[in-house]
Amino acid sequence: MYRLFAKILAGLIATVVLAVGALALVVSYNAACEPPPPAADGASSFTAVMQRCYGDADIITVETVAKPELAESDVLVRVHAASVNPLDKHFLHGTPYLLRLVNGLNAPQSPRMGADFAGVVEAVGSGVTRFEPGDAVFGVANGAFAEYVVRSETGGMALKPANLSFEQAAALPVAAITALQALRDKAQVQPGQHVLINGASGGVGSYAVQLAKAMGATVTAVCSGRNAELVRALGADRVIDYTQQNYTEGDTRYHAIIDMVGNHAISDILGVTEPDGVLVLVGSMKIDPWWGPLARPLHAVVRSPFVSQRLESLLAMTTAEDLRALARYADAGQLTPVIDQRFTLAEVPEAIRYLERGRTRGKVVVSVVP
């Protein structure tokens, strides 16, 4: 009886291993790029950046496509500027592979690229009441690397801050909302608390420094020495050059640590976090091809019951309400985007390559309307 049970168990294990292996082969396979359809002609067409397969920046194309028909609640926006996020390179490569379960197994379901945009409303559906033609707006939409995007009026879009250019406004949505939700919702920062931002000169980090100051915190920024003056200008009270000093070996204790880099063990970071403090995990330098940014948060979940500090991970969600909150910070002069480099639509491959080098100061912007 025992031998029979052992054989059945071994058979089940072998079946699971074979199934997982087969799934791995299927999910990690990159289909060949499909040729684009014939270009759309006439006044109803526009230019858009596309990826018709998974791969590196060489597979990106710029195509002429037809303007979509507007549904009752849709808003058509003439894009003036867009910005590049790490999310764009993940969609380009199709990694982590779990992403493909929702984005398309061997090729993307939607070939359009880009998320952050800012522009002017050109037309609205018959049922739209929140926006009208001529409104300057910013937000997140599928296919932002293009001359036009379509967004539902109830989706992630808001009126552009009056004191920001279109390029600056396009640099806000994904990165600034990530910083806002990390500080406000996860860390629950209060005036007078000491907050450390690891990765303070990057896209999310440059916003986190400013927002933490706006919330009344004392801010320590961790970055390279070449970016020290930048983060001081953003409001950091203290700057640590990570090439010269390991912040986890210091004597200072922090109520909240917002980690965009993941270059230190969680146990080491908790060593400089107040016993009742919080560590918010936003990003990581090392991305597992399967689990991607989920690997480190899963580690935190396992460790959480055994420590006094709160361990929080963040999957930011773009909402119109939070976009309006960012606009209020910008209008009050408390939030100014840092733009590192500007590229054109035709240069989107170069923009993504530049981002992948991992040394950006603030945001990389795509200028659509000069």
Side-chain angles (χ1 to χ4, degrees), residues 286-311:
K286 299 178 181 179
I287 298 295
D288 178 89
W290 278 97
W291 294 98
L294 295 177
R296 194 164 166 85
L298 287 174
H299 180 194
V301 168
V302 173
R303 179 178 288 271
S304 183
F306 306 101
V307 298
S308 64
Q309 298 94 336
R310 285 192 295 120
L311 298 178

Side-chain angles (χ1 to χ4, degrees), residues 115-140:
D116 289 348
F117 74 90
V120 176
V121 174
E122 183 165 294
V124 298
S126 60
V128 172
T129 59
R130 300 183 182 183
F131 302 97
E132 60 184 25
D135 284 345
V137 295
F138 76 118
V140 172

Side-chain angles (χ1 to χ4, degrees), residues 32-187:
C33 284
E34 294 290 332
D41 295 322
S44 62
S45 63
F46 66 97
T47 300
V49 174
M50 301 285 199
Q51 66 163 113
R52 296 192 175 276
C53 58
Y54 293 123
D56 58 26
D58 293 335
I59 62 97
I60 297 174
T61 58
V62 179
E63 303 175 17
T64 302
V65 298
K67 280 187 185 178
E69 296 291 331
L70 293 184
E72 186 177 280
S73 61
D74 282 346
V75 178
L76 178 68
V77 178
R78 173 71 163 100
V79 177
H80 284 228
S83 71
V84 184
N85 294 291
L87 185 66
D88 298 315
K89 68 180 182 180
H90 289 308
F91 278 110
L92 175 63
H93 300 309
T95 55
Y97 293 133
L98 289 177
L99 179 69
R100 301 188 180 197
L101 298 179
V102 294
N103 193 52
L105 284 181
N106 307 128
Q109 293 176 347
S110 171
R112 295 284 298 273
M113 296 187 68
D116 289 348
F117 74 90
V120 176
V121 174
E122 183 165 294
V124 298
S126 60
V128 172
T129 59
R130 300 183 182 183
F131 302 97
E132 60 184 25
D135 284 345
V137 295
F138 76 118
V140 172
N142 177 47
F145 298 154
E147 293 178 313
Y148 288 91
V149 293
V150 174
R151 196 68 169 100
S152 168
E153 73 162 333
T154 59
M157 185 169 65
L159 295 176
K160 180 181 77 66
N163 62 338
L164 296 187
S165 69
F166 285 105
E167 288 184 345
Q168 289 175 314
L172 277 174
V174 169
I177 279 182
T178 300
L180 177 66
Q181 293 178 0
L183 291 161
R184 182 195 62 194
D185 303 337
K186 297 297 185 177

Side-chain angles (χ1 to χ4, degrees), residues 2-358:
Y2 173 78
R3 289 181 178 179
L4 176 61
F5 176 77
K7 288 181 179 180
I8 293 174
L9 181 60
L12 289 173
I13 292 173
T15 300
V16 171
V17 169
L18 288 173
V20 171
L23 177 63
L25 288 174
V26 169
V27 173
S28 62
Y29 171 73
N30 289 342
C33 284
E34 294 290 332
D41 295 322
S44 62
S45 63
F46 66 97
T47 300
V49 174
M50 301 285 199
Q51 66 163 113
R52 296 192 175 276
C53 58
Y54 293 123
D56 58 26
D58 293 335
I59 62 97
I60 297 174
T61 58
V62 179
E63 303 175 17
T64 302
V65 298
K67 280 187 185 178
E69 296 291 331
L70 293 184
E72 186 177 280
S73 61
D74 282 346
V75 178
L76 178 68
V77 178
R78 173 71 163 100
V79 177
H80 284 228
S83 71
V84 184
N85 294 291
L87 185 66
D88 298 315
K89 68 180 182 180
H90 289 308
F91 278 110
L92 175 63
H93 300 309
T95 55
Y97 293 133
L98 289 177
L99 179 69
R100 301 188 180 197
L101 298 179
V102 294
N103 193 52
L105 284 181
N106 307 128
Q109 293 176 347
S110 171
R112 295 284 298 273
M113 296 187 68
D116 289 348
F117 74 90
V120 176
V121 174
E122 183 165 294
V124 298
S126 60
V128 172
T129 59
R130 300 183 182 183
F131 302 97
E132 60 184 25
D135 284 345
V137 295
F138 76 118
V140 172
N142 177 47
F145 298 154
E147 293 178 313
Y148 288 91
V149 293
V150 174
R151 196 68 169 100
S152 168
E153 73 162 333
T154 59
M157 185 169 65
L159 295 176
K160 180 181 77 66
N163 62 338
L164 296 187
S165 69
F166 285 105
E167 288 184 345
Q168 289 175 314
L172 277 174
V174 169
I177 279 182
T178 300
L180 177 66
Q181 293 178 0
L183 291 161
R184 182 195 62 194
D185 303 337
K186 297 297 185 177
Q188 300 172 5
V189 170
Q190 300 298 316
Q193 292 179 338
H194 201 164
V195 176
L196 180 139
I197 311 294
N198 187 25
S201 61
V204 177
S206 61
Y207 291 125
V209 170
Q210 297 177 74
L211 290 170
K213 284 300 296 181
M215 294 174 184
T218 299
V219 179
T220 294
V222 181
C223 61
S224 66
R226 76 182 184 96
N227 294 323
E229 289 306 312
L230 168 66
V231 297
R232 284 194 183 96
L234 295 176
D237 299 284
R238 177 183 175 220
V239 179
I240 296 176
D241 179 354
Y242 71 84
T243 67
Q244 303 297 320
Q245 181 182 351
N246 181 348
Y247 77 87
T248 68
E249 296 175 352
D251 296 327
T252 306
R253 296 294 181 267
Y254 306 93
H255 171 79
I257 294 180
I258 314 299
D259 185 15
M260 262 74 68
V261 185
N263 57 340
H264 294 288
I266 290 176
S267 57
D268 292 340
I269 301 175
L270 292 178
V272 291
T273 307
E274 294 285 0
D276 61 345
V278 55
L279 167 59
V280 183
L281 304 171
V282 178
S284 176
M285 295 171 60
K286 299 178 181 179
I287 298 295
D288 178 89
W290 278 97
W291 294 98
L294 295 177
R296 194 164 166 85
L298 287 174
H299 180 194
V301 168
V302 173
R303 179 178 288 271
S304 183
F306 306 101
V307 298
S308 64
Q309 298 94 336
R310 285 192 295 120
L311 298 178
E312 299 280 0
S313 57
L314 175 66
L315 180 61
M317 301 296 292
T318 304
T319 66
E321 181 180 358
D322 279 350
L323 288 170
R324 290 191 289 269
L326 295 177
R328 289 192 292 271
Y329 279 113
D331 286 334
Q334 297 174 311
L335 191 63
T336 302
V338 176
I339 296 178
D340 185 335
Q341 294 285 339
R342 293 169 173 83
F343 297 85
T344 66
L345 275 182
E347 295 170 333
V348 165
E350 288 303 316
I352 291 180
R353 291 189 189 100
Y354 183 79
L355 183 74
E356 288 181 320
R357 294 173 194 163

